[in-house]
Structure formats: structure tokens, C-alpha cells
Amino acid sequence: MGKSPMPGQPGAPDGGGQEAPPPPDGEAARGMRARADEAPGRRVGERKKQFLVAPQQAPGLAAIGPFGMPSPALQPPSLQAVEKALNDHPDIDVVRTVGTAGMGPLGIGAAAGGGTLVARMTDDKARALQQQTQGQLVIERDQHLLLHEVMPRQPAMVNSLAVRASATLAFRMVVLGKDGTPLPDAEVALFGGLLPAGGMTDARGEVTVTLYGDSPHMVSGVYVKPRADYWSFYQRDPDLGTDEANVIGLRPLSDWPQLPDFPKRSAIGWGQRAMRLDQLPPNFRGQGVKIAVIDSGADNRHPDLKRIQNGVDIIGKNPDSWNQDVLGHGSHCSGVIGGADPTFGIHGFAPEAEIHVCKLFPGGQVSQLIEALDYCIEQQIDVVNLSLGGVSPSPALEQRIVRAKQAGIACIAATGNSGGPVQYPAASPNVLAVAAIGKFDEFPRDSYHVETLSTDVDASGYFTAKFSCFGPEVDVCAPGVAIVSSVPPANFAAWDGTSMAAPHVTGLAALMLAHHPALQAQGGMRSAQRVDALFDLIRRSGRRVTQSGALRTGAGMPDAPTAFGLGLPGQQAMQAPLGSMAGAMAANAMFDPAINAAYLGMGAPRAPAFMAPLGFGYGGTRVGW
């Protein structure tokens, strides 16, 4: 007797004991598609996507140009030849060229290394093009970038919940502030039940949240995020009712003991205190250094940001819209770096540095980030803050990061908030990657910041943030939980994220370029060696925090006095004049002669480059993404 067909195979019985119909064969399937083609409306198929196309910059390429065109041996094709070849293909649309507008300092700019084409095509066409060019071109999706914010994650799969009929519970939530003032625009989320639910409060501070379920005891948590000026709220297993309003009172930031009468009375954030910014000489204010914040803009109507007068809107191409920050993210990062009002709000690391704003969000893609880095090269920026990331490494972007480093630009990037491997561009060996830590006594116990706690807590209360990405690429860690900083139009908010950690290190880097004697001794020379020297000093200043190893915290949390050689027993690092050779050597007396030689611009040995995707060689000591 033969075996019965397995469930799901042709001839197998279905759940009702009947024989299941076989799947349509090829002819039947083609008939179904034909009928769909005849139906009115637009047929759904693959659309063209944006791709980045650029001549490969790595040496040793084959001598075959794009589409079989001859090319000089070991030389990539010119951008003009690539553009002409793409324009000759009816299925490829060249949208624009990025990175050819100008020449950077020292002849190192977009024009010196060629530009990048942005073209629209299908995935199949891109694969064919990659095969035809035999590695001569970098061809990659123009990925959409993400701001590194802590937020609910998208589901990893199509789940099994499809609620069709179920009891529902309506919870009327009321959010009040100081003295019982209604708080509008507060996000309220309920966890538990069959599906999560949420909403935003109205002008009366009210919102009704409807949850699938049949008992209020199904709610496992309630979360409230205010727009500004208050701490968030989180309650596990809340006692909620459906027959009357559920009232939640939020704490003003100014009620926290470390922020008395805030913001009318200025304060130093806990992150700045943890890195001992307050123990540097008061004249260390970042004078003469240029910082770029590539983010969502920065609202310079804010009292702490009014010194910011330079910027560019990469997305909108409007010279006057870089200071319109609808997300608040860029304003928050800029405040940590350069908050400048001495009597109001939070002190920034480098209040007298020249901050340039490159607006890239919402909607930023890799091609626009390349444009932003070209702006930084042309403007001779010293330090770039990258509180953003993508999905996968980008060889085209990596080429521009390398070019920026050659121009003396130090890129400092947030590792990401997925709680997984370090994201790109922080995973690049040519940037300084910053993970996030928190401190247990720096936020209220009923705030949502408690949810960032991990079991990795040291005796001082420092902990690795649960959301922070980790891996061998992590260079250092910095405060990134409950960071209070500026948000539009003239308010403050306490946020979490590696986005908040990176600006702490960016601010310290700016101070070091402005005032560190070893870096000053190079006479302002803009080079990759200066960037390496800066990164090495920052890493060497790190002090161990939390109980975890280097995969999560790198070299530790940078310590500002140590980075300058101050405050070490038996050391008189800063007695010699700033900028003098003696001062440079004294400030680095704790390091060996080989390191001193590197800091004074004499170079330092580097590990061999490794081969990244598409054969592009990245210099550096780290391998893998």
C-alpha cells in the first residue's frame, strides 16, 4: 500500500476531510496572470530604485571598462565615460551627479577623486551592470539613512495575529504637568493585550487608547513621552480602569535635584560631568574649530543655539531652511556639542566653536550624505558628528569618508540603537564609533529611561544601555541615557540613544583640536595623521565603566582631563605654553616616544588594509563589519 500524501501536497485531505486542490500548474498560473493583466488599474511590479554608480577607486582592477569599453590598464573609467554609457541605456535614468562641484583644501575634494552618479534602475539591471563591468564600478542601492533614535522596532516577520473579532477596552488617559496643567502632544502607549496601541494627547491633555482584550489586567505597561520640558513616564503592570479617566502626572525636568530651577538657571549635564568637562580650564571653549552636525537641522532660535549661523539644507536645496528642525534631533545633538547661553539651559562642550548644520532628515539617503561630506571638505570642517546610520556598508560612502579623513576631517559616529552589531558608518575603520552608557541615579525611577537598564552595572552605577549596538568596532562609550538638551523652539528634552552619546565625544574632540598642545604643535596641519592622533588620544583617555568588556564599551568613557594630560599624579603636563613643542611633549609624557612622534605629525605605523566588498581597500586596524 502506497504512502498517503503529506498535508499540503496535491491529493492530501484538507482540514475537513476533503481532498485539497492541487496548486495551479504553469499553464494555469499564466492564465491567472493574463486575467490580472486585463483587469483595470495599474499592475504591481518592480519599480526603479535609486542606485549609486561610481568608478572603483581601488588599485589593481581589470583593464575592461563598462559595457566592454576598453580602459587603460589598472585605471578605472572616467565618470564622464560611465555617465555616457548609462545614458545610452533606455532602462537606466541618470538623476544627478554628486561630488564634482568643487575642490577641497589641499586639492583633496570631490574633483580630485571623481564624483558619484545617482541613477534609477531595477535590481535586475543593476546586477547585470555589475556583472558587465567586472568590478570596475561601485554599484549599490542609495540606501535610506536612519537617525539613531530609541523607538519601537518593526516586526521581524509576518506574525500569526490577525484579529477579526475580539473584545476591546477603551482607556481614557489624561496627562498633566506641573500644577495640574494639561499636557498636549504627549505620546501615550499601552503594551499588552493582543496588539499594542497608542495615541497623542489633545489640548486638554486627553487621549482615548483602544486595546484588544477583555480585561484591564492584560495591560503590561503604560508609557508616556512628553514633547519637551518633562521626564517621561513608565509603569509596569499599571492599575487602569475603563469607567473613569486614568490620570498620569509628569515630573518637570526642573524638579530633578541635579537641575534646580532649570532652565532659567544653567546647568552642566550629567554626561559632561561624567566626562569631567567641568574640570578643564575655563578658557577651553573650542575657539577656531569647525564642527559639522549632519542631522535634521538645528533651530537657532533656541537661546542655546543662537550662535549657529552656518548651514546647508542638503535635502531641500534651500539656503534658508537648514535651521528648520521638525524632528528636534539635530537641535538636541547640537546643544550637547555647543550649547552657548551661559545663563540658560545646558552648557555644551565647545560653545565657541563654529558649528555648521547639514540638514539631511527627514528623508536622507547615502547620496545626500556624500554631498554633506563634500560640503565639509570644501568648508574645511574639523569634526563631523554622525548620529545616523544605514542598513549595510556602502563602498561609495566609504570612499568619501576616506577622502574626508585625508582632508583632516574627523568623523565621529553613533554605533546604533538596535542592540545588535555595530551599524554603518560607525562600523567603518575610518571613523570613531561611540556606544552608549547610562548612570543609575541620573533619572527618575518612574521614567522610561529605566527600561534602558541592563544587568551590567558597576559599583558607581554606570551601565551599558540595552539598546546600544556592540562589537569589535566600538572605540569608546559615552553618556547616552537621559541626556537633557535643546529642542525647538526654546525647550529641553531628556532623550536616550547612541545619537546622544556621539555628540559628547564630538564636543571633546573639538576642544582637543582647539587646545591640546600635541595637536596644536602640528601647526594646524590638516591630514589623516592628525585624525589618527586625535582618535588615539581619545581612546587612551578612556576609563573603564560598567562590568562589560571592549565589545560594548571599547576603550571606555573618555575623560577630558586625562585626554589633555591634566590631573595625573606627579605630572605637570600643562605648565608649558600651549602650542609649544615642550608643551606638546609634556602633555603626552604618559605615552611612549613612538606615540609622541605620531602626535607631532611624524606618522605612525598602521595595520595593513583589508579588502572590503567590491574590492575596495579600507585602511585601519579593524576587520569585518
Side-chain angles (χ1 to χ4, degrees):
M1 195 172 173
K3 291 183 180 179
S4 299
M6 295 293 289
Q9 291 181 338
D14 62 14
Q18 302 296 318
E19 185 176 284
D25 58 20
E27 198 63 41
R30 282 192 291 273
M32 291 180 184
R33 286 196 294 270
R35 290 193 294 274
D37 290 342
E38 295 167 2
R42 178 173 179 164
R43 184 185 175 192
V44 176
E46 184 188 2
R47 61 178 172 82
K48 293 181 179 180
K49 279 86 69 175
Q50 275 192 188
F51 285 81
L52 301 177
V53 183
Q56 181 64 268
Q57 298 298 312
L61 298 173
I64 301 175
F67 309 105
M69 296 186 301
S71 180
L74 305 183
Q75 293 294 322
S78 68
L79 189 70
Q80 292 75 17
V82 174
E83 184 172 9
K84 181 180 184 305
L86 294 182
N87 280 323
D88 288 342
H89 271 251
D91 296 331
I92 299 177
D93 306 319
V94 177
V95 179
R96 67 182 189 279
T97 304
V98 297
T100 59
M103 180 74 70
L106 308 178
I108 303 172
T116 300
L117 297 169
V118 181
R120 295 180 63 81
M121 65 187 90
T122 63
D123 290 328
D124 286 343
K125 183 61 65 176
R127 281 190 291 268
L129 181 62
Q130 183 74 69
Q131 183 177 5
Q132 287 176 287
T133 59
Q134 299 185 31
Q136 285 272 293
L137 301 180
V138 172
I139 303 171
E140 61 178 84
R141 283 286 297 272
D142 189 7
Q143 301 177 73
H144 282 274
L145 299 169
L146 304 172
L147 288 169
H148 284 322
E149 284 239 278
V150 179
M151 61 182 67
R153 301 177 191 172
Q154 295 182 357
M157 61 181 183
V158 179
N159 63 40
S160 60
L161 292 178
V163 179
R164 292 177 174 83
S166 176
T168 59
L169 298 169
F171 297 95
R172 187 161 68 96
M173 312 297 295
V174 179
V175 180
L176 303 177
K178 192 172 184 179
D179 301 324
T181 305
L183 289 184
D185 300 327
E187 299 174 28
V188 180
L190 298 182
F191 305 115
L194 296 178
L195 294 172
M200 188 169 290
T201 58
D202 59 20
R204 300 171 298 172
E206 295 188 17
V207 61
T208 298
V209 180
T210 301
L211 198 69
Y212 285 105
D214 55 10
S215 170
H217 298 296
M218 295 184 68
V219 181
S220 61
V222 57
Y223 165 47
V224 180
K225 178 187 175 183
R227 178 172 290 274
D229 301 329
Y230 286 84
W231 293 102
S232 62
F233 174 86
Y234 183 70
Q235 177 62 60
R236 290 179 183 271
D237 304 318
D239 184 13
L240 300 179
T242 56
D243 54 351
E244 59 183 336
N246 299 277
V247 180
I248 296 174
L250 299 188
R251 302 168 182 250
L253 296 176
S254 57
D255 278 1
W256 191 240
Q258 287 87 333
L259 298 172
D261 202 25
F262 181 82
K264 296 177 183 177
R265 188 168 154 193
S266 62
I268 297 178
W270 83 261
Q272 285 93 332
R273 283 186 280 108
M275 293 173 62
R276 299 204 296 165
L277 173 68
D278 54 337
Q279 296 186 35
L280 291 180
N283 61 318
F284 282 20
R285 297 176 61 81
Q287 304 93 318
V289 171
K290 293 183 178 181
I291 306 169
V293 180
I294 302 179
D295 213 288
S296 62
D299 192 335
N300 60 355
R301 296 174 299 170
H302 196 289
D304 263 356
L305 307 179
K306 59 188 177 184
R307 284 180 55 91
I308 302 177
Q309 298 298 322
N310 301 284
V312 58
D313 185 347
I314 303 293
I315 299 294
K317 309 299 182 186
N318 183 343
D320 300 321
S321 58
W322 58 264
N323 57 0
Q324 298 172 15
D325 185 6
V326 298
L327 302 178
H329 192 273
S331 298
H332 198 280
C333 293
S334 297
V336 173
I337 295 169
D341 194 312
T343 61
F344 180 84
I346 295 290
H347 288 285
F349 274 82
E352 292 188 21
E354 181 180 308
I355 295 179
H356 289 240
V357 174
C358 297
K359 183 176 179 178
L360 202 64
F361 293 96
Q365 292 177 265
V366 169
S367 58
Q368 279 109 10
L369 180 50
I370 289 174
E371 289 186 66
L373 289 174
D374 283 338
Y375 171 88
C376 295
I377 293 171
E378 293 167 1
Q379 295 294 321
Q380 300 191 49
I381 298 297
D382 296 293
V383 188
V384 173
N385 188 83
L386 296 169
S387 291
L388 51 82
V391 178
S392 60
S394 164
L397 176 57
E398 187 68 22
Q399 291 182 172
R400 196 61 92 249
I401 291 174
V402 170
R403 193 167 299 133
K405 182 178 179 181
Q406 292 170 345
I409 299 174
C411 291
I412 296 174
T415 60
N417 300 335
S418 69
V422 173
Q423 297 179 357
Y424 188 80
S428 164
N430 294 293
V431 308
L432 193 78
V434 185
I437 59 170
K439 197 164 186 290
F440 191 67
D441 55 354
E442 296 295 347
F443 48 83
R445 302 289 175 88
D446 61 354
S447 69
Y448 194 71
H449 305 296
V450 171
E451 291 299 291
T452 69
L453 276 165
S454 67
T455 56
D456 173 31
V457 184
D458 68 13
S460 298
Y462 290 106
F463 61 89
T464 53
K466 283 197 297 189
F467 57 78
S468 186
C469 288
F470 59 90
E473 303 87 356
V474 175
D475 287 297
V476 293
C477 60
V481 173
I483 303 302
V484 176
S485 188
S486 47
V487 293
N491 304 88
F492 294 86
W495 288 353
D496 306 329
T498 56
S499 279
M500 285 62 254
H504 284 75
V505 181
T506 297
L508 176 61
L511 288 183
M512 295 173 69
L513 287 173
H515 307 292
H516 197 291
L519 299 170
Q520 290 289 302
Q522 296 187 30
M525 175 76 103
R526 302 177 58 83
S527 65
Q529 286 75 24
R530 185 181 77 158
V531 175
D532 286 334
L534 172 66
F535 288 174
D536 285 342
L537 278 169
I538 292 173
R539 282 190 289 259
R540 286 173 175 267
S541 77
R543 61 188 175 94
R544 177 77 178 272
V545 288
T546 83
Q547 298 296 315
S548 63
L551 291 181
R552 292 195 176 273
T553 59
M557 179 173 62
D559 181 74
T562 302
F564 281 93
L566 290 168
L568 299 179
Q571 190 174 356
Q572 304 296 324
M574 301 298 293
Q575 289 185 355
L578 285 177
S580 71
M581 183 68 70
M585 296 301 293
N588 291 285
M590 76 290 284
F591 301 135
D592 59 45
I595 297 298
N596 273 322
Y599 292 160
L600 296 176
M602 303 173 192
R606 300 288 294 171
F610 69 93
M611 297 308 292
L614 300 179
F616 185 78
Y618 302 153
T621 58
R622 288 175 286 166
V623 295
W625 297 103

